[in-house]
Amino acid sequence: MLSLYPMKVNAVTAQKFFLYKPLNRLLPMMGCIPKNLFDPDVRSIIGIKTVLNRGDDILLFPEGRCSCDGFYAGMHRSTGKLIKKLSVPVVSCCIEGSYTCMPFWRDGIRAGRVQITISNLFSPENLQSLSIDEINMVVDNRLSGEDRGTFRTFGTRRLAEGLQYILYWCPKCGQEFTTETKKCRIYCTACGNAADLDRYAMLNPTPGSVVPKDIHTWYKEQARYEAEQLHDDMKPINVHVSVKLPSDVPGGGMVTCGSGVISIDPKGWCYEGELKGEQVSLFFPIDTVPALPIDPNDVFQIYAHGAFYMFSPDNKRECIKYSVIGECAYWKFASNVQMTPRKDSGFC
């Protein structure tokens, strides 16, 4: 937004950021519009139309989350419906290199080269002649660049630290949560499988190790491993969690309101346990949970029916596992898939 100054853009922003100080004051001052991720949100649509009607501009991030592996994560098909309905000029802004130097799992600060390519995408006249599926395909094709291999970080220290919160499955011995990192190396404590991450975000195996060529390929194989465990007559996968809900105090963030067990089966996610001093049973149908955004080594999130829940497993490293399982289950069991496919993802 600063790079576009003095042009003012109103960014559609995840609801959770409005819950914390000082963002709860700064974001409204900057004209940001809150949005419940992957959940129909009439409030955000009204905000978008209000901004456009007064002649200002909207900044929209179609993926709705950070990419775990540096690849475009796809978007909800309703994006094309929204673009067609608004019938305004659309400009694409493709960001490349930010994953190499600033992956959201990283530990520490690093510098690198980031390139942003801005180009015209649609005119109002184009939108009238295109179907919603055609609009979505154009957006997907424009934004699906691979954020790896071309851009590099400027430093070479501690590049891999934090990567174990995304890559939890060893491709050599098949053990889970045995990966650790130190400086530029990721390794398995069970079998010694190891690789060094270079400043182009490529993995260089140590002698005798079995490691995919890059983070994306490892993440894809991890997703396929989880997908193989899912089937129509599977037993529910259970995990004990604590639950956080938005604080009643403005700027108070998310507060722990109970604990219980969350499970997933082909029908969806179910939480059984305490919430605000009462025993509750919450059900989230699989069709309504296409993805579970995460804060690595902390929580995974579900947005549903205008509400926002954060679930923190007893072993916080498991956040990524249930995010991967959730996305695999959506593509396998959802009766009406509303997400555009992730490129070469292993999910679909």
Side-chain angles (χ1 to χ4, degrees), residues 26-152:
L26 289 176
L27 293 180
M29 291 172 57
M30 296 167 67
C32 294
I33 300 169
K35 173 71 171 72
N36 274 343
L37 302 181
F38 308 107
D39 190 33
D41 194 337
V42 175
R43 173 192 54 177
S44 65
I45 302 300
I46 293 173
I48 289 171
K49 294 187 71 173
T50 299
V51 169
L52 292 175
N53 288 341
R54 70 174 184 237
D56 290 334
D57 302 304
I58 290 291
L59 175 62
L60 178 68
F61 297 89
E63 291 172 271
R65 52 186 156 154
C66 293
S67 171
C68 286
D69 58 358
F71 270 52
Y72 174 65
M75 63 182 184
H76 202 282
R77 296 185 191 277
S78 61
T79 304
K81 183 178 181 181
L82 174 65
I83 291 174
K84 187 174 180 68
K85 181 71 174 178
L86 295 176
S87 191
V88 294
V90 179
V91 174
S92 67
C93 179
C94 190
I95 305 171
E96 297 175 279
S98 60
Y99 184 82
T100 309
C101 66
M102 290 183 61
F104 78 124
W105 45 259
R106 76 192 188 281
D107 183 10
I109 298 174
R110 62 185 71 162
R113 177 172 174 259
V114 177
Q115 177 174 299
I116 300 178
T117 304
I118 298 177
S119 53
N120 291 321
L121 195 58
F122 300 112
S123 67
E125 294 74 25
N126 296 146
L127 292 172
Q128 295 309 310
S129 63
L130 296 173
S131 69
I132 292 173
D133 286 341
E134 288 172 331
I135 292 171
N136 283 328
M137 183 174 65
V138 172
V139 176
D140 274 340
N141 289 340
R142 183 63 61 86
L143 298 183
S144 60
E146 302 174 10
D147 193 0
R148 62 176 179 83
T150 302
F151 300 93
R152 60 182 174 84

Side-chain angles (χ1 to χ4, degrees), residues 167-181:
L167 303 177
Y168 61 88
W169 170 77
C170 176
K172 184 175 182 179
C173 68
Q175 296 293 310
E176 297 182 15
F177 306 110
T178 56
T179 53
E180 295 292 345
T181 56

Side-chain angles (χ1 to χ4, degrees), residues 3 30 66-67 73 136 144 152 204 221 225 242 244 290 317:
S3 67
M30 296 167 67
C66 293
S67 171
N136 283 328
S144 60
R152 60 182 174 84
N204 302 296
E221 292 183 7
Y225 159 77
S242 58
K244 294 182 179 180
R317 283 192 61 179

